[in-house]
């Protein structure tokens, strides 16, 4: 028995999104997703803890990239750390992922519990980043402010990326706007 | 039958916090809270939707104060709107509320689901503020950035207030630090 099936994760993600769109998130079962992807339910559970996780599996990779960027930074200057973190995030949002991300976003917006989960994942991203910054030597409150800044810029830029903007450009714009807003 | 009982809300809040501390949040029932406060369960439900809401009832007043501050602002300049919002929030955190807030925080931290609820309430505060800013004429993305800035400053200042700082001073410090961080 082959335990690892090439492309199964992508097929499962695509199958799940198709079904969520066609018949609704709530109405879709793991068995249906697995069948449509041409794998067994057992294979589904090798990749995802439950149905909901199909929509959030990318978030862990994002967290790891963020932590790696902070750990690899040669500077402990806040502006450098912010730039490094934003660059790491931007790598996950090339233009070719936009169509999939838009469809995912529409599914999230169809279900308040999914939107709550998305918010909590975003919060977790901030916490993980703040912890990484603390390990890099920033004090707790400065680490939280830097992480919150990255979170705010990312959140704003992500919305613009979804509507067609380049991610790195959208991040630079959002950071400049935030700077103007707090300049007083 | 007297429907409104003077001081019942305060007595119920105090009774709930006592019981949550003594026997745990999960183990405490609405019946126990009502009994300790010297009211009926029915009276409890006149003030709170459920047990959890005892810990979050203040958040609605905070939202309303924030919306009122934005609506009453004579300026649509971001810095003025941020100052007005922070001043409105500071009014809810006088030094004499700190002891109660610390005890509440300890209960929240004993239960991951309560911490999630707190995060979602903070997010709701940001959304409500962004909507109020949009009604004041700011475009959506600027409104979200201003609301996120207030959220970040409030979150940082609240943590410092809990440890003994004056709220308005902590807000001014956090805003200055945020300014320095994004100045690059």
């Amino acid at each position: 028995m082959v335990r690892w099936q090439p492309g199964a994760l992508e097929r499962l993600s695509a199958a799940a999104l198709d079904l969520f769109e066609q018949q609704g998130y709530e109405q879709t079962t793991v068995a249906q997703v697995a069948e449509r992807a041409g794998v067994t339910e057992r294979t589904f559970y090798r990749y995802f803890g439950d149905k909901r996780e199909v929509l959030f599996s990318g978030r862990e990779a994002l967290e790891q990239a963020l932590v790696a960027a902070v750990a690899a930074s040669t500077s402990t200057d806040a502006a450098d750390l912010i730039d490094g973190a934003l660059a790491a995030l931007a790598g996950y949002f090339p233009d070719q992922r936009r169509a999939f991300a838009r469809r995912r976003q529409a599914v999230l917006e169809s279900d308040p519990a999914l939107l709550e989960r998305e918010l909590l994942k975003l919060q977790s991203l901030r916490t993980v980043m703040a912890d990484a910054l603390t390990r890099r030597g920033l004090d707790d409150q400065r680490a939280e402010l830097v992480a919150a800044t990255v979170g705010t810029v990312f959140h704003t830029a992500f919305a613009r990326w979804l509507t067609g903007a380049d991610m790195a450009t959208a991040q630079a714009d959002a950071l400049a706007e935030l700077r103007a807003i707090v300049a007083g």
Side-chain angles (χ1 to χ4, degrees), chain A residues 60-133:
Chain A
E60 265 100 81
L62 213 57
E63 277 191 18
Q64 288 162 13
L66 205 49
V67 168
V70 171
S73 173
T74 53
S75 163
T76 54
D77 179 68
D80 293 336
L81 289 163
I82 289 170
D83 286 347
L86 291 175
L89 289 171
Y92 280 81
F93 299 91
D95 290 341
Q96 58 267 34
R97 285 195 56 189
R98 187 179 292 116
F100 191 90
R102 274 184 189 162
R103 293 173 60 203
R104 172 181 177 276
Q105 192 68 25
V107 173
L108 294 189
E109 287 173 5
S110 74
D111 189 318
L114 291 176
L115 276 183
E116 284 201 355
R117 178 57 35 190
E118 175 81 337
L119 282 173
L120 292 169
K121 288 270 177 180
L122 194 63
Q123 177 61 37
S124 157
L125 211 58
R126 276 199 286 268
T127 305
V128 161
M129 184 176 178
D131 290 347
L133 289 164

Side-chain angles (χ1 to χ4, degrees), chain A residues 22-180:
Chain A
Q22 288 163 20
Q23 58 188 40
Y25 171 77
E26 202 57 61
Q27 287 71 40
T28 299
T29 66
V30 166
Q32 292 171 332
V33 172
E35 191 191 350
R36 190 183 183 102
V39 303
T40 62
E41 274 194 70
R42 213 172 134 184
T43 298
F44 177 95
Y45 286 113
R46 252 177 241 140
Y47 292 93
F48 306 107
D50 57 29
K51 180 176 77 171
R52 193 175 62 177
E53 281 313 301
V54 180
L55 293 165
F56 297 102
S57 65
R59 290 296 188 233
E60 265 100 81
L62 213 57
E63 277 191 18
Q64 288 162 13
L66 205 49
V67 168
V70 171
S73 173
T74 53
S75 163
T76 54
D77 179 68
D80 293 336
L81 289 163
I82 289 170
D83 286 347
L86 291 175
L89 289 171
Y92 280 81
F93 299 91
D95 290 341
Q96 58 267 34
R97 285 195 56 189
R98 187 179 292 116
F100 191 90
R102 274 184 189 162
R103 293 173 60 203
R104 172 181 177 276
Q105 192 68 25
V107 173
L108 294 189
E109 287 173 5
S110 74
D111 189 318
L114 291 176
L115 276 183
E116 284 201 355
R117 178 57 35 190
E118 175 81 337
L119 282 173
L120 292 169
K121 288 270 177 180
L122 194 63
Q123 177 61 37
S124 157
L125 211 58
R126 276 199 286 268
T127 305
V128 161
M129 184 176 178
D131 290 347
L133 289 164
T134 307
R135 286 196 298 276
R136 241 3 233 98
L138 272 66
D139 78 49
D140 282 3
Q141 294 187 331
R142 191 166 181 82
E144 286 212 7
L145 276 176
V146 169
T149 299
V150 170
T152 297
V153 169
F154 171 64
H155 187 74
T156 301
F158 176 74
R160 295 180 188 178
W161 174 77
L162 272 184
T163 66
D166 167 71
M167 187 61 158
T169 308
Q171 287 176 336
D173 290 348
L175 187 55
E177 287 164 40
L178 186 58
R179 193 175 292 137

